[in-house]
Short mmCIF file of all heavy atoms in Angstrom, two decimals:
data_model
loop_
_atom_site.label_atom_id
_atom_site.label_comp_id
_atom_site.label_asym_id
_atom_site.label_seq_id
_atom_site.Cartn_x
_atom_site.Cartn_y
_atom_site.Cartn_z
N ASN A 112 -20.49 -11.05 -41.73
CA ASN A 112 -20.97 -10.92 -43.10
C ASN A 112 -20.03 -10.12 -44.00
O ASN A 112 -20.41 -9.71 -45.09
CB ASN A 112 -22.36 -10.29 -43.13
CG ASN A 112 -22.39 -8.88 -42.55
OD1 ASN A 112 -21.51 -8.50 -41.77
ND2 ASN A 112 -23.40 -8.11 -42.91
N VAL A 113 -18.80 -9.85 -43.53
CA VAL A 113 -17.85 -9.20 -44.43
C VAL A 113 -17.54 -10.16 -45.58
O VAL A 113 -17.78 -11.36 -45.48
CB VAL A 113 -16.55 -8.78 -43.71
CG1 VAL A 113 -16.84 -7.82 -42.57
CG2 VAL A 113 -15.76 -9.99 -43.22
N SER A 114 -16.99 -9.63 -46.66
CA SER A 114 -16.77 -10.45 -47.84
C SER A 114 -15.86 -11.64 -47.51
O SER A 114 -14.92 -11.53 -46.74
CB SER A 114 -16.16 -9.62 -48.96
OG SER A 114 -14.85 -9.20 -48.64
N PRO A 115 -16.14 -12.81 -48.12
CA PRO A 115 -15.31 -13.99 -47.87
C PRO A 115 -13.86 -13.78 -48.29
O PRO A 115 -12.95 -14.39 -47.75
CB PRO A 115 -15.98 -15.09 -48.70
CG PRO A 115 -16.88 -14.39 -49.66
CD PRO A 115 -17.29 -13.12 -49.01
N GLU A 116 -13.64 -12.88 -49.28
CA GLU A 116 -12.26 -12.59 -49.68
C GLU A 116 -11.47 -11.99 -48.51
O GLU A 116 -10.29 -12.31 -48.32
CB GLU A 116 -12.25 -11.60 -50.86
CG GLU A 116 -12.88 -12.13 -52.14
CD GLU A 116 -14.36 -11.80 -52.25
OE1 GLU A 116 -15.01 -11.51 -51.21
OE2 GLU A 116 -14.88 -11.84 -53.37
N ARG A 117 -12.11 -11.13 -47.72
CA ARG A 117 -11.42 -10.51 -46.59
C ARG A 117 -11.07 -11.56 -45.53
O ARG A 117 -9.97 -11.55 -44.98
CB ARG A 117 -12.29 -9.41 -45.99
CG ARG A 117 -12.52 -8.24 -46.92
CD ARG A 117 -13.30 -7.14 -46.24
NE ARG A 117 -13.56 -6.07 -47.18
CZ ARG A 117 -13.81 -4.81 -46.85
NH1 ARG A 117 -13.82 -4.47 -45.58
NH2 ARG A 117 -14.04 -3.91 -47.76
N ILE A 118 -12.02 -12.41 -45.24
CA ILE A 118 -11.79 -13.45 -44.25
C ILE A 118 -10.65 -14.37 -44.70
O ILE A 118 -9.75 -14.71 -43.92
CB ILE A 118 -13.07 -14.25 -43.99
CG1 ILE A 118 -14.11 -13.35 -43.29
CG2 ILE A 118 -12.79 -15.49 -43.14
CD1 ILE A 118 -15.47 -13.98 -43.12
N ALA A 119 -10.65 -14.75 -45.97
CA ALA A 119 -9.60 -15.63 -46.50
C ALA A 119 -8.23 -14.95 -46.44
O ALA A 119 -7.24 -15.58 -46.07
CB ALA A 119 -9.93 -16.02 -47.94
N LEU A 120 -8.18 -13.67 -46.78
CA LEU A 120 -6.92 -12.92 -46.72
C LEU A 120 -6.37 -12.89 -45.30
O LEU A 120 -5.19 -13.14 -45.06
CB LEU A 120 -7.14 -11.50 -47.21
CG LEU A 120 -6.91 -11.21 -48.69
CD1 LEU A 120 -7.41 -9.82 -49.04
CD2 LEU A 120 -5.43 -11.34 -49.02
N LEU A 121 -7.24 -12.59 -44.35
CA LEU A 121 -6.81 -12.47 -42.96
C LEU A 121 -6.31 -13.80 -42.42
O LEU A 121 -5.29 -13.86 -41.71
CB LEU A 121 -7.94 -11.92 -42.11
CG LEU A 121 -8.21 -10.43 -42.31
CD1 LEU A 121 -9.56 -10.04 -41.73
CD2 LEU A 121 -7.09 -9.61 -41.66
N ARG A 122 -7.00 -14.87 -42.74
CA ARG A 122 -6.56 -16.18 -42.27
C ARG A 122 -5.23 -16.58 -42.93
O ARG A 122 -4.37 -17.19 -42.29
CB ARG A 122 -7.65 -17.21 -42.53
CG ARG A 122 -8.83 -17.05 -41.56
CD ARG A 122 -9.92 -18.05 -41.75
NE ARG A 122 -10.88 -17.97 -40.64
CZ ARG A 122 -12.16 -18.30 -40.73
NH1 ARG A 122 -12.66 -18.74 -41.88
NH2 ARG A 122 -12.96 -18.21 -39.68
N THR A 123 -5.07 -16.22 -44.19
CA THR A 123 -3.81 -16.51 -44.87
C THR A 123 -2.65 -15.79 -44.21
O THR A 123 -1.53 -16.33 -44.09
CB THR A 123 -3.90 -16.10 -46.35
OG1 THR A 123 -4.94 -16.85 -46.98
CG2 THR A 123 -2.59 -16.35 -47.08
N LEU A 124 -2.90 -14.57 -43.74
CA LEU A 124 -1.86 -13.76 -43.09
C LEU A 124 -1.63 -14.15 -41.63
O LEU A 124 -0.77 -13.60 -40.96
CB LEU A 124 -2.23 -12.28 -43.17
CG LEU A 124 -2.13 -11.64 -44.56
CD1 LEU A 124 -2.86 -10.32 -44.60
CD2 LEU A 124 -0.67 -11.47 -44.97
N GLY A 125 -2.43 -15.11 -41.12
CA GLY A 125 -2.20 -15.64 -39.78
C GLY A 125 -2.95 -14.93 -38.67
O GLY A 125 -2.68 -15.17 -37.49
N ALA A 126 -3.92 -14.07 -39.01
CA ALA A 126 -4.68 -13.38 -37.97
C ALA A 126 -5.68 -14.32 -37.30
O ALA A 126 -6.23 -15.22 -37.94
CB ALA A 126 -5.42 -12.19 -38.57
N GLU A 127 -5.90 -14.10 -36.02
CA GLU A 127 -6.94 -14.81 -35.27
C GLU A 127 -8.23 -13.99 -35.42
O GLU A 127 -8.26 -12.81 -35.10
CB GLU A 127 -6.55 -14.92 -33.80
CG GLU A 127 -7.62 -15.56 -32.93
CD GLU A 127 -7.24 -15.54 -31.46
OE1 GLU A 127 -6.90 -14.45 -30.94
OE2 GLU A 127 -7.29 -16.61 -30.83
N LEU A 128 -9.31 -14.66 -35.90
CA LEU A 128 -10.55 -13.94 -36.18
C LEU A 128 -11.64 -14.31 -35.19
O LEU A 128 -11.82 -15.48 -34.85
CB LEU A 128 -11.04 -14.26 -37.60
CG LEU A 128 -10.11 -13.92 -38.76
CD1 LEU A 128 -10.80 -14.19 -40.08
CD2 LEU A 128 -9.64 -12.48 -38.68
N ILE A 129 -12.37 -13.30 -34.75
CA ILE A 129 -13.57 -13.48 -33.94
C ILE A 129 -14.71 -12.85 -34.71
O ILE A 129 -14.80 -11.61 -34.83
CB ILE A 129 -13.41 -12.82 -32.56
CG1 ILE A 129 -12.23 -13.46 -31.81
CG2 ILE A 129 -14.69 -12.95 -31.75
CD1 ILE A 129 -11.77 -12.68 -30.61
N LEU A 130 -15.57 -13.68 -35.30
CA LEU A 130 -16.65 -13.18 -36.14
C LEU A 130 -17.87 -12.84 -35.28
O LEU A 130 -18.34 -13.67 -34.51
CB LEU A 130 -17.00 -14.20 -37.22
CG LEU A 130 -15.83 -14.57 -38.15
CD1 LEU A 130 -16.28 -15.61 -39.17
CD2 LEU A 130 -15.29 -13.34 -38.85
N THR A 131 -18.37 -11.61 -35.44
CA THR A 131 -19.45 -11.11 -34.59
C THR A 131 -20.77 -11.05 -35.35
O THR A 131 -20.81 -11.23 -36.57
CB THR A 131 -19.08 -9.72 -34.04
OG1 THR A 131 -18.90 -8.81 -35.14
CG2 THR A 131 -17.79 -9.79 -33.24
N ASP A 132 -21.85 -10.78 -34.62
CA ASP A 132 -23.20 -10.75 -35.18
C ASP A 132 -23.27 -9.75 -36.34
O ASP A 132 -23.03 -8.54 -36.14
CB ASP A 132 -24.18 -10.34 -34.08
CG ASP A 132 -25.64 -10.44 -34.52
OD1 ASP A 132 -25.91 -10.49 -35.74
OD2 ASP A 132 -26.51 -10.45 -33.64
N PRO A 133 -23.60 -10.19 -37.54
CA PRO A 133 -23.65 -9.27 -38.68
C PRO A 133 -24.70 -8.17 -38.52
O PRO A 133 -24.55 -7.09 -39.07
CB PRO A 133 -23.97 -10.18 -39.87
CG PRO A 133 -24.54 -11.42 -39.28
CD PRO A 133 -23.90 -11.58 -37.95
N LEU A 134 -25.76 -8.46 -37.76
CA LEU A 134 -26.80 -7.45 -37.57
C LEU A 134 -26.32 -6.28 -36.72
O LEU A 134 -26.90 -5.19 -36.76
CB LEU A 134 -28.04 -8.09 -36.91
CG LEU A 134 -28.74 -9.18 -37.72
CD1 LEU A 134 -29.92 -9.75 -36.94
CD2 LEU A 134 -29.21 -8.62 -39.07
N GLU A 135 -25.25 -6.48 -35.97
CA GLU A 135 -24.71 -5.40 -35.13
C GLU A 135 -23.62 -4.60 -35.84
O GLU A 135 -23.16 -3.59 -35.30
CB GLU A 135 -24.15 -5.99 -33.83
CG GLU A 135 -25.23 -6.64 -32.96
CD GLU A 135 -24.66 -7.28 -31.72
OE1 GLU A 135 -23.42 -7.23 -31.52
OE2 GLU A 135 -25.44 -7.83 -30.92
N GLY A 136 -23.22 -5.04 -37.03
CA GLY A 136 -22.27 -4.29 -37.84
C GLY A 136 -20.94 -4.03 -37.16
O GLY A 136 -20.51 -4.77 -36.27
N SER A 137 -20.30 -2.94 -37.59
CA SER A 137 -18.98 -2.61 -37.05
C SER A 137 -19.04 -2.21 -35.58
O SER A 137 -18.08 -2.41 -34.83
CB SER A 137 -18.34 -1.49 -37.87
OG SER A 137 -19.14 -0.32 -37.86
#
Side-chain angles (χ1 to χ4, degrees):
N112 62 338
V113 301
S114 67
E116 296 92 339
R117 294 184 183 203
I118 292 174
L120 268 170
L121 286 165
R122 287 181 170 152
T123 299
L124 289 164
E127 176 185 52
L128 301 185
I129 299 166
L130 301 179
T131 61
D132 187 342
L134 297 178
E135 296 177 359
S137 59

